């Protein structure tokens, strides 16, 4: 089997030593020394899916790398029903600012399914438990005699959560030892500690590894993506917060001035019930020059981010935005929504562009399509900013620092 085929077909176990060439020997040694200090800890992560979405994207390399550095790290999933994931998607949306009530019936479904999952989780051997996002949040209630610290990590954009829903969830959050948010501005008034850890990407994964031009072209060909015109792309879960309709509007306006092709690629996380409806909306709006692909293929994501003249991530809320990091790592010219974590990655006009409206996005698409040198300059700075700030080795180090605070 060829190396690239192996990379596509494995989970992607990478060691700290592999990062040395990217972060330098001194940084790799510093992180290894920190790992030594917490090596005797056994850590459990709990989330709601192995398939799709940013949390999976983070936990796959992080949990493998923690084990590779000698820290016994487990990853448990909770199971849900369609009704349960309907409730938790509503929590996700209201945390990001949608105004709708979470009814008593929804609370009953949410809490009962989490309780049922709790009966199957046996965590006594752990030294720390890290629970991700709202889906498994109420688990803590069922571990009242716990001795180890429990941390809740929230991945969503908490800049303006719906007050009543946040107050309901806060009763669970405050039973944890601390909450972990992606950015300082997501901090809340809480009676427990708060920490801030920004996400990161695995540069060696199938999605982010180097790729030859031949392989890249081959992949686009496999999906019948034409390359006779410059490509503009957005690759994201089919989700209202990623604003795919705004992307289509911006593309249509831009195409009045420069000919180009829009490729919208999306997959669906197994805990997200809204994806089908959003995909239908996109498909019925897509006309000539717009290709919509609903596939789960990390190598296609890699090939597209490397081939596109412009990568969009026109989100209207974004906890962090791994798709932005991934494209910047490939030296792409990225236009991002001026929200949440995207603002921490793109410095407007320096390593990409930030936009607030489809009109602004259209103007930036045109500017970038007409100016290959600008694309190159922004892309080179984008890649360097990811190297310095958003690689998995930094995320590992942040977790090691945090866990050492809770070592018993
Ligand atoms: N992806 C694919 N194929 C697709 C579409 C997406 O592989 O067709 C991947 C994408 O490459 C990325 C991940 O799915 O790796 C999506 O992550 P992200 O862009 O971060 O979005 P979410 O799924 O919404 O992830 C949540 C937050 C986000 C945060 C992330 C990690 O909404 O803001 O960065 O969690 O904290």
């Amino acid at each position: 089997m060829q190396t690239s085929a192996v990379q596509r077909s494995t989970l992607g176990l990478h060691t700290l030593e592999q990062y040395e060439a990217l972060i330098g020997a001194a940084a790799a040694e510093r992180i290894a020394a920190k790992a030594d200090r917490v090596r005797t800890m056994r850590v459990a992560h709990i989330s709601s899916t192995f398939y799709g979405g940013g949390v999976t994207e983070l936990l796959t390399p992080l949990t493998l790398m923690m084990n590779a550095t000698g820290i016994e790290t487990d990853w448990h999933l909770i199971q849900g029903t369609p009704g349960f994931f309907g409730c938790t998607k509503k929590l996700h949306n209201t945390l990001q600012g949608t105004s709708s009530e979470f009814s008593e019936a929804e609370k009953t479904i949410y809490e009962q399914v989490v309780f049922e999952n709790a009966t199957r989780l046996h965590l006594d051997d752990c030294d720390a438990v890290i629970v991700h996002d709202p889906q498994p949040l109420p688990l803590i209630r069922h571990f009242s005699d716990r001795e180890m610290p429990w941390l809740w990590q929230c991945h969503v954009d908490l800049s303006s959560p719906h007050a009543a829903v946040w107050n309901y969830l806060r009763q669970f959050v405050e039973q944890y030892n601390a909450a972990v948010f992606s950015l300082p501005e997501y901090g809340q008034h809480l009676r427990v500690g708060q920490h801030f850890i920004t996400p990161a990407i695995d540069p060696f994964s199938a999605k982010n590894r180097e790729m030859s031009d031949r392989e890249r072209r081959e992949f686009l060909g496999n999906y019948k993506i034409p390359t006779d015109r410059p490509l503009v792309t957005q690759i994201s879960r089919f989700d209202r917060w990623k604003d795919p309709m705004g992307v289509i509007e911006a593309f249509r306006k831009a195409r009045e001035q420069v000919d180009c092709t829009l490729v919208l690629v999306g997959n669906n996380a197994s805990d997200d019930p809204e994806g089908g409806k959003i995909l239908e909306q996109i498909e019925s709006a897509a006309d000539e020059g717009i290709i919509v692909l609903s596939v789960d293929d990390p190598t296609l994501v890699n090939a597209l981010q490397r081939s596109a003249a412009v990568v969009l991530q026109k989100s209207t809320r974004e906890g962090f935005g791994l798709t932005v990091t991934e494209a910047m790592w490939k030296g792409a010219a990225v236009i991002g929504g001026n929200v949440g974590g995207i603002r921490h990655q793109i410095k407007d006009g320096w390593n990409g562009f930030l936009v607030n409206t489809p009109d602004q996005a259209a103007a930036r698409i045109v500017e970038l399509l007409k100016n290959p040198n600008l694309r190159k300059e922004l892309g080179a700075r984008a890649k360097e900013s990811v190297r310095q700030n958003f690689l998995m080795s930094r995320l590992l180090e942040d977790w090691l620092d945090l866990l050492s605070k809770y070592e018993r």
Side-chain angles (χ1 to χ4, degrees):
M1 241 179 156
Q2 289 185 341
T3 318
S4 62
V6 173
Q7 278 171 320
R8 282 204 295 275
S9 309
T10 64
L11 296 176
L13 171 62
H14 301 295
T15 62
L16 197 48
E17 290 74 43
Q18 286 173 273
Y19 280 78
E20 249 186 62
L22 296 172
I23 61 172
E29 276 164 29
R30 182 184 69 235
I31 300 169
K34 288 180 178 181
D36 271 342
R37 290 209 293 273
V38 294
R39 203 181 295 281
T40 52
M41 284 182 96
R42 178 163 189 176
V43 179
H45 288 268
I46 305 176
S47 74
S48 60
T49 180
F50 278 150
Y51 298 105
V55 176
T56 299
E57 205 68 37
L58 284 179
L59 288 183
T60 301
L62 181 66
T63 53
L64 289 170
M65 207 171 161
M66 285 176 76
N67 281 290
T69 52
I71 302 157
E72 282 187 20
T73 307
D74 301 319
W75 179 4
H76 302 287
L77 294 186
I78 61 156
Q79 187 180 10
T81 59
F84 172 78
F85 286 129
C87 294
T88 57
K89 182 68 188 191
K90 191 169 188 183
L91 290 176
H92 175 94
N93 288 338
T94 48
L95 285 180
Q96 296 212 133
T98 303
S99 177
S100 56
E101 299 308 316
F102 198 60
S103 70
E104 288 307 313
E106 286 168 321
K107 288 178 188 171
T108 303
I109 295 168
Y110 175 51
E111 292 175 27
Q112 174 64 17
V113 171
V114 170
F115 163 69
E116 288 167 344
N117 275 283
T119 64
R120 294 187 305 202
L121 275 169
H122 305 285
L123 301 165
D124 293 346
D125 291 346
C126 295
D127 299 297
V129 176
I130 303 162
V131 174
H132 294 266
D133 268 350
Q135 295 90 331
L137 170 64
L139 277 174
I140 186 99
R141 287 209 303 187
H142 310 293
F143 294 84
S144 51
D145 56 353
R146 63 190 177 274
E147 287 174 3
M148 75 295 278
W150 277 55
L151 306 172
W152 179 61
Q153 183 170 24
C154 179
H155 293 267
V156 308
D157 181 336
L158 264 192
S159 50
S160 54
H162 182 258
V165 170
W166 173 248
N167 281 336
Y168 163 65
L169 293 179
R170 189 211 310 263
Q171 60 166 319
F172 303 119
V173 179
E174 290 186 333
Q175 293 175 48
Y176 283 74
N177 294 72
V180 182
F181 301 109
S182 299
L183 305 176
E185 56 261 44
Y186 300 156
Q188 302 291 321
H189 292 293
L190 285 176
R191 280 180 301 192
V192 294
Q194 304 187 49
H195 306 284
F196 304 98
I197 296 187
T198 317
I201 59 161
D202 171 4
F204 308 113
S205 67
K207 186 173 291 170
N208 296 317
R209 70 178 167 84
E210 291 298 326
M211 222 179 170
S212 71
D213 284 352
R214 196 175 58 84
E215 198 186 351
R216 189 170 57 73
R217 279 197 300 271
E218 212 176 277
F219 254 84
L220 297 186
N222 290 346
Y223 285 94
K224 302 192 171 35
I225 296 172
T227 48
D228 52 337
R229 299 183 185 100
L231 296 175
V232 175
T233 190
Q234 175 159 302
I235 300 157
S236 268
R237 279 186 306 106
F238 295 120
D239 180 298
R240 64 173 91 167
W241 303 106
K242 313 292 184 186
D243 196 18
M245 303 311 283
V247 170
I248 291 176
E249 188 184 333
F251 168 75
R252 285 201 183 118
K253 287 189 173 138
R255 202 178 38 175
E256 287 167 11
Q257 297 184 56
V258 189
D259 205 7
C260 48
T261 301
L262 175 65
V263 186
L264 286 169
V265 177
N267 65 358
N268 215 1
S270 61
D271 57 354
D272 179 355
E274 283 182 358
K277 209 171 68 198
I278 304 287
L279 174 60
E280 271 173 33
Q281 267 176 23
I282 298 171
E283 283 178 332
S284 59
D287 49 13
E288 208 206 320
I290 302 180
I291 296 170
V292 182
L293 293 170
S294 173
V295 288
D296 192 10
D297 184 343
T299 313
L300 171 66
V301 174
N302 195 342
L304 251 182
Q305 288 171 335
R306 287 181 191 281
S307 308
V310 178
V311 176
L312 284 161
Q313 188 54 59
K314 219 208 97 10
S315 308
T316 53
R317 288 281 190 282
E318 195 63 80
F320 178 67
L322 291 171
T323 50
V324 172
T325 336
E326 290 158 2
M328 290 173 77
W329 176 243
K330 288 150 196 144
V334 183
I335 301 173
N338 186 14
V339 292
I342 300 177
R343 285 202 280 230
H344 286 247
Q345 301 186 65
I346 296 180
K347 202 167 151 215
D348 190 32
W350 167 253
N351 58 0
F353 286 123
L354 291 171
V355 295
N356 295 299
T357 62
D359 279 352
Q360 288 177 2
R364 291 303 192 190
I365 294 171
V366 172
E367 185 180 352
L368 286 167
L369 290 181
K370 286 184 174 168
N371 191 343
N373 284 338
L374 177 62
R375 300 203 299 263
K376 246 190 219 149
E377 278 170 27
L378 297 178
R381 293 187 202 118
K383 178 161 188 159
E384 178 56 15
S385 62
V386 174
R387 190 191 68 76
Q388 288 180 18
N389 303 300
F390 302 121
L391 294 183
M392 195 49 58
S393 43
R394 195 272 303 147
L395 184 65
L396 173 67
E397 184 168 14
D398 285 353
W399 272 110
L400 295 173
D401 287 339
L402 185 49
L403 288 170
S404 68
K405 291 194 175 109
Y406 288 93
E407 212 185 353
R408 291 181 293 165

